[in-house]
Amino acid sequence: KNQVEQSPQSLIILEGKNCTLQCNYTVSPFSNLRWYKQDTGRGPVSLTIMTFSENTKSNGRYTATLDADTKQSSLHITASQLSDSASYICVVTPRKSTASKLTFGTGTRLQVTL
Amino acid sequence: DAGITQSPRYKITETGRQVTLMCHQTWSHSYMFWYRQDLGHGLRLIYYSAAADITDKGEVPDGYVVSRSKTENFPLTLESATRSQTSVYFCASSQTTGGFLTDTQYFGPGTRLTVL
């Protein structure tokens, strides 16, 4: 069964610090990998999407990297802000699949404090 | 710019009752989806629709019914609610071009459903 594992489960950092979230997947071959941000009580919002041939994608202070050989992706947040407090979800789409095959990770809950 | 909306935002019901969750999008996206989100699980797909009158099962369809008579609406019905259906339900949509495989899914704000 295709799986997406995220680590750590939760993380607390001080405002202004950097952090890196991890996503390991077993889905292969895959079409794309996405990172979503989900604020408490809200729906997920897309941060980045990378195809299998891309290594990195940035969106402001968010930078996602992808290593297809090791089946790992990371989301790096630079100079964190209180508004970065949220859950971050990794989603992998298998190649040539239907919508039912999208695999969601359980997310990393990030808390940014003063 | 309403985007994608869900109603109600909160719902408490009793076991055995029928409940319908509404989803409405203003972008004319072809694809629409229903997910449930529970602690310890990633988002799980219940049903999805590629266009009006076209629906298909996802990972956890049992106990749910969907319909899509109009492109903009995609209601989800729990025919006889059970406690295990207590969850947060999210509706999502994506653009036509490339379908969901390459396009971003836009999520609604969610409906928190409690079944007593």
Side-chain angles (χ1 to χ4, degrees):
Chain A
K1 181 180 178 182
N2 289 328
Q3 287 189 315
V4 175
E5 302 285 344
Q6 293 188 243
S7 63
Q9 271 193 317
S10 62
L11 182 63
I12 301 174
I13 63 172
L14 292 175
E15 187 182 28
K17 298 296 185 182
N18 303 334
C19 68
T20 300
L21 314 180
Q22 298 292 339
C23 173
N24 295 338
Y25 59 91
T26 61
V27 179
S28 182
F30 76 98
S31 174
N32 59 64
L33 184 148
R34 314 161 196 248
W35 283 93
Y36 283 89
K37 178 187 180 188
Q38 184 176 20
D39 292 317
T40 301
R42 308 284 292 272
V45 175
S46 179
L47 289 175
T48 63
I49 177 170
M50 291 182 290
T51 66
F52 63 90
S53 60
E54 294 179 292
N55 298 121
T56 186
K57 185 69 69 78
S58 291
N59 179 359
R61 295 179 297 101
Y62 301 99
T63 299
T65 62
L66 175 64
D67 186 333
D69 291 332
T70 61
K71 296 186 174 59
Q72 294 180 326
S73 176
S74 63
L75 180 69
H76 186 73
I77 304 174
T78 303
S80 62
Q81 300 176 358
L82 295 177
S83 60
D84 293 329
S85 296
S87 289
Y88 292 84
I89 302 170
C90 175
V91 186
V92 181
T93 304
R95 199 176 301 173
K96 296 183 181 178
S97 70
T98 65
S100 62
K101 301 302 181 186
L102 270 72
T103 306
F104 289 77
T106 55
T108 291
R109 184 175 295 275
L110 174 66
Q111 184 177 350
V112 180
T113 65
L114 293 171
Chain B
D1 188 327
I4 183 165
T5 57
Q6 294 183 236
S7 62
R9 293 295 313 279
Y10 302 91
K11 176 74 176 178
I12 299 174
T13 190
E14 294 177 336
T15 301
R17 290 192 179 269
Q18 183 179 80
V19 177
T20 295
L21 310 184
M22 305 301 294
C23 178
H24 176 79
Q25 52 107 352
T26 60
W27 295 306
S28 297
H29 286 173
S30 288
Y31 280 88
M32 295 188 74
F33 311 82
W34 274 107
Y35 294 92
R36 61 179 289 173
Q37 187 174 42
D38 305 289
L39 280 175
H41 291 276
L43 284 155
R44 291 183 290 175
L45 183 66
I46 305 171
Y47 270 96
Y48 68 101
S49 168
D53 297 322
I54 301 175
T55 61
D56 207 347
K57 295 178 180 179
E59 180 184 355
V60 289
D62 293 342
Y64 303 94
V65 175
V66 293
S67 62
R68 193 164 176 212
S69 58
K70 293 183 178 181
T71 299
E72 61 267 28
N73 296 323
F74 191 38
L76 175 74
T77 298
L78 287 67
E79 293 187 299
S80 178
T82 64
R83 290 193 182 87
S84 64
Q85 292 177 310
T86 293
S87 186
V88 181
Y89 291 85
F90 288 99
C91 179
S93 70
S94 65
Q95 293 176 330
T96 303
T97 305
F100 70 92
L101 290 178
T102 55
D103 290 338
T104 296
Q105 289 188 15
Y106 296 89
F107 286 82
T111 294
R112 183 175 293 275
L113 175 68
T114 301
V115 182
L116 301 176

